[in-house]
Amino acid sequence: MPKLKTKRAAAKRFKVTGTGKLKRSKAYKRHILTKKSSKTKRNLRKAGLVDSTNVKTMKKVLPYL
């Protein structure tokens, strides 16, 4: 059986935590920041986790992560 290929775009966007969960960065932090509150922007800096409904798909896309 041939080796599985990793989707490189996904590999650049996701990391695995120590407990095996997938870490991601949050959206809506690139532009139009003037109308967003400081609290919102501060919370967007923090990393988020991939939702449990998407984990199965992500593990398929990132077989060696």
Side-chain angles (χ1 to χ4, degrees), residues 1 4 9 13 15 18 21 26 35 39 42 53 61-62:
M1 189 165 171
L4 298 169
R13 287 169 172 81
K15 297 278 178 275
K21 294 176 182 172
K26 293 184 181 175
K35 62 176 77 169
K39 183 180 177 181
R42 186 165 57 248
T53 56
V61 166
L62 303 163

Side-chain angles (χ1 to χ4, degrees), residues 1-18:
M1 189 165 171
K3 286 193 252 183
L4 298 169
K5 281 195 173 181
T6 299
K7 297 284 182 273
R8 296 309 298 162
K12 291 167 189 173
R13 287 169 172 81
F14 299 97
K15 297 278 178 275
V16 177
T17 62

